[in-house]
Amino acid sequence: MVELHIDGKPVEVAEGTTVIEAARQTGTYIPHFCYHKKLSIAANCRMCLVEVEKAPKPLPACATPVTAGMKVFTQSEKAVKAQKSVMEFLLINHPLDCPICDQGGECQLQDLAVGYGASESRYKEEKRVVLHKNVGPLISMEEMSRCIHCTRCVRFGQEVAGVMELGMLNRGEHSEITTFVGNTVDSELSGNMIDLCPVGALTSKPFRYAARTWELARRRSVAPHDSLGSNIVVQSKNQRVLRVLPLENEAINECWISDRDRFSYEALNSDDRLTHPMIKQGGQWQETDWQTALEYVVNGLAAIRREHGAEQIAALAGANSTLEELFLLQELVRGIGSDNIDFRLRQSDASVVFKGAPWLGMKIAEVSDLQRVLVVGGLLRKEQPLLAARLRGAAKKGAQITVLNALRDDLLMPNVAYITAAPSAWTAELAGVTRAVAEAQGVAVPAFAAQAVVNDSLKAVAKSLLSGERKAVFLGNGALAHPQFGALLAQAQWIADATGARLGVFGDGANAVGGYLVRAFPQTTGLPAAALLAQPRKAYVLLNTEPEFDSLDPQAALAALSQASTVVVMSAFRSEAAMQYADVMLPIGPFTETSGTFVNSEGTAQSFNGVVRALGDSRPGWKVLRVLGNMFELPGFDYDTSEAVRDAILGGDIASRLNNGAALDGARVAASATQGGIERYSDVAIYHADALVRRADALQLTTLGRQAAFASLPPGLFAQLGLAKGGAVRIQQGAHAVTMPAQLDANLPEGVVRIPAGTEAAARLGSLHGVIQVQAVEVTGAGAAQSQAV
């Protein structure tokens, strides 16, 4: 520890601490622009100049390490004069357009200019002009003349997002921040650059000119898209959500949020919002009142139970439903007499029965300190953007990352081995890792790995996991949906136990852990989601889900729902498909219009309240379910608040209910045979993961959003079909087919075609797994279509 004095106050800090960090610990504010606690030191704005005893000139507080006995003066005449001089320099070329600047009211330069700026500039020369840039649909760079070259955005891209999408060109007054060769900014974390910008150079394009910051009401909430549970601030005006910003929580999302969390609010005001209860009469939809709609639901379900039995009633829920909604839904269904309820809509292996709720296996913050990591079946940057950022930070400190997946996704971080294999070969590859670990340790090779083939890449994975101290084996969403998830889980558990690693599951959805806690899946006689759609029921209750996009087999889902006698849709949105298969639609509020709780992947329950009034006649989902329970005269539906429901669920220690162990069908724990033909690989597209992001216009216009419309083919298959840029393919899967634009992807193994799930094209096909046929479709000048099949 080092002792120094700041403005006469004694301070004791760790050796290597900078003056600005030491000052923060005492509550002393030193003005700054380029410094940020999460970024490297640039020391290029010089606004943090302070006086240090015996130093010949003021020193930058952000780049000056403390020394024993140092005496720092942050508000002395010498320090303030230096700071005012820097401010005068920064304002030479800064435009005087505060009245039209979106940053007005929350601008660091504006705030500091009040204290350190002069009322008039001594410089009368013409101010410089920097041309605007178009960097995509999320970030506006229309007024780059405001830029003060703090380079926060550049450093964020390099150090946190992992890709340098912005950089500085030229020198002196000709310097400017820009992208490379006219590229757009495509990182899944790019919106954080807007928050980092201390002036109005980088602003939110969807929010542009929508409101002034002092007009906005602010409420805390929790992001509803992935299992991290990022803390956010939702800002609204006139009961309309206009902006979402990060709320700092060092234990979960630090001070960042993903673009998915930031911009999905656009869907809340989309034309697809369901605002009134609706009943289909004679094939025509009619708006009605709540009492009529609820009586219709109760009478319809009661008739099914009476005539066909309660087992003909099924409920499917999205994993982004609140804890309270999932709990009351399963209570309602079981009260009626059915066990057919499931929230695991894309899970295909029903042999896995967890002993508790599968979770991350550690605290989220501990991911940053891992030294060895194996990820099985996960696209880190697309599924868990902020966990990927934490792992990227760990990799910069020397962590060794290894991955097994069907797509070599660019992790934007060093990795020891990246094993790409068709989904059907994952169990064989993981068995190879198992055997390599066993042989390296000199222990008996498990039976399921006895015939495994070990190559250098698999040995590298084993060697990595056998070294280091803090280790983890993570199962991603691709593994959760895999037809042999049980085998993957058992192998991952053996590897984790043998290497001293923790076993973690990322979780698909904001409340995946919560779904297990409230038993929103079959317990006794019920069938899992995939079976409930493959073996049609007479009645379905759908909560916060669009099965045509969210289920394992979209066409099977549409077929089952279309022939059901009663389909109840409880959602904030209406879709074209739902208008066809539903009989009654009940408008429930999205996360901004209701109170509720999400349990994130580390097992932390985070509650939130509504931010704006419900749109139209929408009602909170938990209230609708409570009323339905009362109308069925079921016990245990007398809750007055969502907090009362939450307390009834969480009465006890959540940690004791978290367990990645599972009871498995032993016959399933074996390497699967490689399928013949071309195999389909379907990860869930990042901006098609749920109903909100699918309706966020700005996200759909991004590069990642537009790429979801393409079928990706490996080089060999692309050449074999004679495809060229701009070509298209016809995908045939059983009786279903779709034509899609094709693109070459050298990151895919041969024999695998990637068709992103959650998209319009995927909704026209069958299961997310299996063999497909691919034809090149060529349109000649005469308009005739020619094709070559493979």
Side-chain angles (χ1 to χ4, degrees):
M1 300 296 287
V2 175
E3 186 173 326
L4 70 154
H5 288 76
I6 299 178
D7 293 334
K9 300 177 185 176
V11 185
E12 191 173 28
V13 295
E15 188 175 353
T17 303
T18 61
V19 170
I20 197 170
E21 292 167 343
R24 284 167 62 94
Q25 294 183 27
T26 67
T28 301
Y29 177 76
I30 298 177
H32 60 273
F33 293 112
C34 69
Y35 168 78
H36 191 277
K37 63 181 180 180
K38 293 289 184 180
L39 303 177
S40 63
I41 296 170
N44 51 11
C45 78
R46 318 307 279 187
M47 191 64 210
C48 63
L49 291 175
V50 294
E51 180 182 358
V52 177
E53 187 181 57
K54 298 181 181 179
K57 59 182 180 180
L59 301 177
C62 68
T64 304
V66 299
T67 59
M70 174 185 279
K71 293 184 178 181
V72 178
F73 305 95
T74 67
Q75 299 174 18
S76 66
E77 181 181 353
K78 186 176 182 179
V80 172
K81 182 179 179 181
Q83 293 161 356
K84 287 186 174 182
S85 297
V86 170
M87 177 59 70
E88 184 179 24
F89 177 76
L90 289 173
L91 293 176
I92 290 174
N93 280 310
H94 197 81
L96 303 178
D97 64 347
C98 294
I100 65 162
C101 178
D102 254 1
Q103 196 83 351
E106 51 188 8
C107 172
Q108 258 184 281
L109 182 65
Q110 196 176 55
D111 293 342
L112 293 179
V114 174
Y116 298 92
S119 59
E120 184 178 357
S121 174
R122 292 182 292 171
Y123 293 86
K124 305 300 181 183
E125 289 78 10
E126 188 173 314
K127 292 180 180 288
R128 76 170 192 153
V129 175
V130 180
L131 295 178
H132 65 84
K133 290 96 177 168
N134 181 10
V135 295
L138 304 181
I139 299 177
S140 172
M141 295 181 73
E142 291 294 317
E143 287 88 13
M144 288 306 292
S145 297
R146 300 171 183 160
C147 179
I148 62 171
H149 305 150
C150 70
T151 67
R152 280 184 177 182
C153 56
V154 178
R155 284 176 285 146
F156 172 82
Q158 287 178 295
E159 298 164 15
V160 180
V163 55
M164 186 175 177
E165 294 182 294
L166 294 177
M168 184 178 290
L169 292 179
N170 306 320
R171 295 175 65 84
E173 71 169 5
H174 301 293
S175 299
E176 59 179 285
I177 301 291
T178 185
T179 57
F180 294 92
V181 202
N183 290 341
T184 54
V185 175
D186 299 322
S187 167
E188 65 279 1
L189 302 175
S190 65
N192 293 292
M193 296 178 182
I194 299 169
D195 300 332
L196 288 171
C197 185
V199 294
L202 303 180
T203 55
S204 169
K205 191 170 282 189
F207 176 69
R208 186 172 168 81
Y209 297 147
R212 286 298 194 181
T213 180
W214 55 83
E215 299 175 318
L216 299 173
R218 295 165 172 80
R219 296 291 185 274
R220 297 183 176 191
S221 192
V222 181
H225 303 299
D226 58 46
S227 62
L228 193 81
S230 296
N231 290 198
I232 57 177
V233 175
V234 181
Q235 300 184 341
S236 62
K237 177 183 177 182
N238 297 331
Q239 300 301 315
R240 184 183 175 95
V241 175
L242 294 181
R243 187 165 65 165
V244 171
L245 298 176
L247 176 65
E248 184 171 354
N249 186 334
E250 198 64 28
I252 296 176
N253 58 298
E254 300 179 270
C255 55
W256 319 117
I257 55 174
S258 68
D259 289 353
R260 181 167 57 187
D261 296 334
R262 183 184 299 271
F263 296 107
S264 64
Y265 73 87
E266 283 188 298
L268 300 171
N269 308 312
S270 76
D271 294 336
D272 280 353
R273 278 299 302 270
L274 182 62
T275 56
H276 301 281
M278 300 181 73
I279 295 177
K280 187 186 290 183
Q281 298 283 0
Q284 299 296 318
W285 283 102
Q286 298 178 359
E287 291 186 359
T288 187
D289 59 87
W290 271 102
Q291 184 65 28
T292 302
L294 292 174
E295 288 178 354
Y296 185 96
V297 172
V298 172
N299 293 335
L301 295 180
I304 297 294
R305 179 176 62 176
R306 182 173 59 252
E307 297 172 12
H308 303 283
E311 68 277 2
Q312 283 296 314
I313 299 174
L316 302 175
N320 296 333
S321 304
T322 66
L323 194 70
E324 294 80 358
E325 291 169 343
L326 290 173
F327 173 73
L328 291 175
L329 178 64
Q330 65 87 25
E331 288 285 294
L332 175 66
V333 173
R334 293 195 167 99
I336 292 173
S338 174
D339 192 41
N340 292 324
I341 178 172
D342 208 347
F343 73 97
R344 307 162 303 171
L345 303 184
R346 294 193 182 98
Q347 186 167 323
S348 58
D349 186 356
S351 69
V352 181
V353 179
F354 284 98
K355 298 174 183 176
W359 66 304
L360 191 62
M362 64 187 70
K363 291 293 186 181
I364 291 170
E366 293 176 341
V367 173
S368 302
D369 298 321
L370 289 174
Q371 295 178 338
R372 303 291 184 268
V373 178
L374 169 61
V375 179
V376 180
L379 289 177
L380 279 169
R381 291 174 54 203
K382 309 303 187 296
E383 295 173 11
Q384 306 287 344
L386 293 177
L387 273 184
R390 284 189 180 271
L391 281 176
R392 191 172 297 117
K396 290 170 65 176
K397 295 185 290 186
Q400 296 182 6
I401 313 296
T402 55
V403 180
L404 166 61
N405 203 9
L407 175 72
R408 185 183 290 271
D409 191 33
D410 188 357
L411 297 176
L412 302 176
M413 68 181 89
N415 55 85
V416 173
Y418 204 125
I419 304 164
T420 54
S424 62
W426 287 3
T427 51
E429 296 291 342
L430 208 55
V433 175
T434 301
R435 180 168 182 171
V437 169
E439 291 178 346
Q441 290 184 319
V443 299
V445 178
F448 63 79
Q451 304 301 318
V453 177
V454 180
N455 56 34
D456 291 342
S457 295
L458 301 181
K459 288 180 180 178
V461 175
K463 181 179 178 181
S464 173
L465 289 174
L466 288 169
S467 61
E469 295 179 358
R470 296 179 295 276
K471 316 171 195 179
V473 178
F474 292 125
L475 294 172
N477 293 350
L480 288 172
H482 196 278
Q484 292 227 328
F485 173 48
L488 293 174
L489 176 62
Q491 292 171 329
Q493 182 67 71
W494 191 95
I495 293 171
D497 292 342
T499 60
R502 298 193 200 179
L503 179 65
V505 178
F506 284 155
D508 185 7
N511 210 15
V513 173
Y516 279 95
L517 290 178
V518 299
R519 301 179 301 114
F521 59 97
Q523 297 294 298
T524 53
T525 60
L527 297 177
L532 289 174
L533 295 172
Q535 304 169 33
R537 307 286 105 176
K538 294 292 184 181
Y540 290 92
V541 178
L542 307 180
L543 173 66
N544 289 321
T545 182
E546 297 171 320
E548 62 272 22
F549 297 121
D550 299 331
S551 61
L552 175 71
D553 190 330
Q555 284 298 309
L558 288 173
L561 293 169
S562 297
Q563 59 186 284
S565 300
T566 300
V567 177
V568 181
V569 172
M570 299 177 61
S571 174
F573 303 98
R574 57 170 177 255
S575 66
E576 292 183 10
M579 299 290 281
Q580 299 299 318
Y581 59 65
D583 297 289
V584 56
M585 293 195 288
L586 306 178
I588 62 173
F591 78 107
T592 53
E593 297 172 20
T594 185
S595 56
T597 304
F598 292 141
V599 181
N600 68 5
S601 58
E602 72 171 15
T604 297
Q606 300 185 104
S607 297
F608 54 90
N609 293 313
V611 175
V612 294
R613 284 197 301 266
L615 191 62
D617 285 338
S618 298
R619 296 290 184 270
W622 71 269
K623 285 189 176 182
V624 176
L625 291 164
R626 181 200 63 188
V627 173
L628 286 172
N630 290 332
M631 295 177 73
F632 271 107
E633 299 182 351
L634 300 176
F637 281 83
D638 53 352
Y639 301 102
D640 294 325
T641 64
S642 64
E643 289 79 10
V645 184
R646 178 199 62 198
D647 293 343
I649 301 166
L650 300 179
D653 182 18
I654 292 181
S656 64
R657 290 183 269 174
L658 302 177
N659 194 326
N660 288 323
L664 298 166
D665 178 357
R668 297 293 299 263
V669 186
S672 60
T674 303
Q675 302 183 39
I678 298 172
E679 195 168 335
R680 177 180 175 181
Y681 168 64
S682 292
D683 59 297
V684 181
I686 183 172
Y687 298 144
H688 290 77
D690 55 58
L692 277 172
V693 292
R694 285 193 286 265
R695 291 172 172 83
D697 293 338
L699 292 177
Q700 297 307 315
L701 292 173
T702 62
T703 299
L704 289 173
R706 289 183 281 108
Q707 282 180 346
F710 287 81
S712 301
L713 281 69
L717 181 58
F718 197 85
Q720 184 181 352
L721 291 173
L723 290 168
K725 187 175 181 180
V729 291
R730 185 175 186 271
I731 308 293
Q732 181 84 35
Q733 187 176 20
H736 311 295
V738 65
T739 298
M740 302 176 64
Q743 66 180 5
L744 173 66
D745 193 339
N747 294 314
L748 283 168
E750 290 301 332
V752 175
V753 172
R754 180 191 187 196
I755 304 170
T759 62
E760 293 285 350
R764 293 170 60 184
L765 294 173
S767 172
L768 303 183
H769 313 285
V771 176
I772 58 175
Q773 289 77 45
V774 184
Q775 293 178 320
V777 178
E778 180 182 354
V779 179
T780 65
Q786 300 176 345
S787 65
Q788 178 183 353
V790 173

